[in-house]
Amino acid sequence: MTTALATATKAATATDTSENLRLIRRAYEAFHARDVGALLATLDPEVEWVHPDGMAGYDLGGTKRGHAGVRAFLAHVPTVLGGMRLEPREFLADGDRVVVFGEREVTSARGRTARLSFVHSWTLRGGRAVRMEDIFDTVEFHRLIES
């Protein structure tokens, strides 16, 4: 009986992990397509959207809450940057967490482009992302913005 329960638990966990990976991949596809509605569909209405405090000087740091906070954040980004494209490279999933390693191609308002590494840590619950934390080198990002 214990073996059957363990097998069932592993199967359920594998299904949850696959669903979580699909959800996060859809979030990146929506971001790439600049489809804010599709992105928000992957996020819990009370999502925490977290960026390094070191970006606060550009109003890009700290925690934005809910769909309204994410919308406001995304609307503000073009006032600071000329463009950005995310390229997720590796997805690691365990339970309700998905961690993504990737690069972003960022263009400053003045037209300089650089490739910067990122780590995104996603927490999921009930089929939606409840937290996304963006981790990156803020010093390099500042240099690009100011160039």
Side-chain angles (χ1 to χ4, degrees), residues 52 54-55 58 60 80-81 84 103-110 112-118 135-147:
M55 297 302 291
Y58 303 102
L60 296 175
V80 178
L81 298 173
M84 180 168 44
E103 287 187 328
R104 66 179 108 222
E105 185 176 275
V106 184
T107 303
S108 72
R110 294 181 187 104
R112 181 172 169 257
T113 300
R115 298 184 67 75
L116 306 172
S117 297
F118 70 80
I135 303 159
F136 57 89
D137 184 339
T138 59
V139 172
E140 286 298 319
F141 214 106
H142 282 249
R143 285 183 187 139
L144 178 63
I145 290 173
E146 297 301 325
S147 67

Side-chain angles (χ1 to χ4, degrees), residues 36-53:
V36 175
L39 174 62
L40 294 178
T42 67
L43 306 177
D44 185 86
E46 301 301 318
V47 67
E48 293 180 332
W49 191 259
V50 184
H51 290 82
D53 288 337

Side-chain angles (χ1 to χ4, degrees), residues 42-112:
T42 67
L43 306 177
D44 185 86
E46 301 301 318
V47 67
E48 293 180 332
W49 191 259
V50 184
H51 290 82
D53 288 337
M55 297 302 291
Y58 303 102
D59 199 26
L60 296 175
T63 301
K64 311 304 185 218
R65 298 194 191 301
H67 286 182
V70 173
R71 276 187 194 279
F73 176 85
L74 294 174
H76 180 67
V77 170
T79 69
V80 178
L81 298 173
M84 180 168 44
R85 179 182 171 102
L86 297 178
E87 297 177 15
R89 303 268 190 220
E90 182 178 359
F91 294 77
L92 302 175
D94 186 21
D96 66 352
R97 298 290 300 266
V98 175
V99 176
V100 179
F101 297 88
E103 287 187 328
R104 66 179 108 222
E105 185 176 275
V106 184
T107 303
S108 72
R110 294 181 187 104
R112 181 172 169 257

